[in-house]
């Protein structure tokens, strides 16, 4: 079984994340979309809210599972029997950051392979950070988040 973990904060999940996961579905038997909990980090949305949104977005994709973890991502991969980690690359700064992490993870995580997909151009400017800033400023984010999340946020 080819199992991949797609780790992130998903605070909130964006159309960029969804596009990446959908494109990776044909590559793996199972993709575990996993929210990593970092006790030092302040989140805009609760863990339950973020998990619910993930469940909702992927409810029609049987090979996509949703989970969460604390601690090292490589340990969670081991727990889920995943030999692959999935990450997205939007630009050169993502690359610099991800390159180091994936090289470290390969050592700490017993040769775990990180598989990178380059984001589609229409999503390369989309990040959860930007989405949170727009929400905090009372702007509209329906262009950047899945429809079900936009509906909940704006009660439409
Ligand atoms: P983190 O807290 O680790 O930055 P994120 O939830 O922001 O987690 O992102 C998780 C993964 O999704 C990362 O690999 C990131 O590069 C990727 N990603 C985020 N936004 C996009 C996007 N717009 N297009 C493609 N990949 C993306």
């Amino acid at each position: 079984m080819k199992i991949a973990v797609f780790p992130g904060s998903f605070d909130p999940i964006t159309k960029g994340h969804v596009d990446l996961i959908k494109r990776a579905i044909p590559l793996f038997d199972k993709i575990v979309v996993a929210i990593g909990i970092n006790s030092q980090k302040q989140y805009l949305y609760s863990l339950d809210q973020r998990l619910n949104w993930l469940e909702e977005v992927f409810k029609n994709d049987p090979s996509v599972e949703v989970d969460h973890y604390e601690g090292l991502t490589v340990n969670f991969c081991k727990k889920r029997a995943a030999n692959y980690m999935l990450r997205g690359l939007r630009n050169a700064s993502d690359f610099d950051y991800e390159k180091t992490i994936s090289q470290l993870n390969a050592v700490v995580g017993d040769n775990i392979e990180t598989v990178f997909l380059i984001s589609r151009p229409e999503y390369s400017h989309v990040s959860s950070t930007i989405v949170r800033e727009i929400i905090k400023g009372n702007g509209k984010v329906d262009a950047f988040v899945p429809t079900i999340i936009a509906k909940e946020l704006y009660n439409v």
Side-chain angles (χ1 to χ4, degrees):
M1 264 270 258
K2 264 195 208 141
I3 304 174
V5 166
F6 184 50
S9 307
F10 307 106
D11 188 28
I13 185 167
T14 68
K15 285 185 177 176
H17 294 127
V18 175
D19 181 68
L20 201 92
I21 294 163
K22 297 262 183 193
R23 286 165 55 208
I25 286 176
L27 306 178
F28 298 101
D29 299 304
K30 191 197 288 180
I31 298 175
V32 182
V33 182
I35 297 181
I37 305 163
N38 178 345
S39 53
Q40 318 278 23
K41 237 175 165 178
Q42 282 274 337
Y43 299 103
L44 182 59
Y45 295 106
S46 70
L47 176 64
D48 278 351
Q49 173 72 86
R50 286 177 285 146
L51 287 169
N52 284 344
W53 277 334
L54 290 177
E55 295 279 5
E56 188 64 28
V57 169
F58 296 107
K59 66 178 178 200
N60 295 322
D61 296 297
S63 68
V64 177
E65 286 181 19
V66 172
D67 203 347
H68 65 281
Y69 65 96
E70 276 179 84
L72 289 181
T73 307
V74 289
N75 290 345
F76 175 73
C77 291
K78 232 175 245 169
K79 185 179 151 206
R80 296 301 315 252
N83 291 318
Y84 303 92
M85 216 185 278
L86 177 65
R87 296 290 286 178
L89 296 176
R90 286 163 291 191
N91 47 44
S93 53
D94 269 1
F95 174 78
D96 281 343
Y97 174 76
E98 297 288 345
K99 171 177 175 271
T100 313
I101 301 281
S102 83
Q103 288 169 336
L104 287 170
N105 280 339
V107 178
V108 184
D110 294 333
N111 293 322
I112 190 150
E113 284 292 356
T114 309
V115 174
F116 296 101
L117 292 184
I118 305 271
S119 79
R120 293 267 187 251
E122 61 268 40
Y123 298 122
S124 63
H125 62 294
V126 179
S127 70
S128 297
T129 309
I130 296 288
V131 167
R132 286 194 301 274
E133 289 309 311
I134 298 172
I135 291 170
K136 285 183 200 159
N138 294 319
K140 280 197 76 143
V141 293
D142 47 337
F144 310 124
V145 299
T147 315
I148 55 136
I149 298 184
K151 275 190 184 150
E152 275 187 36
L153 290 175
Y154 303 113
N155 296 319
V156 288

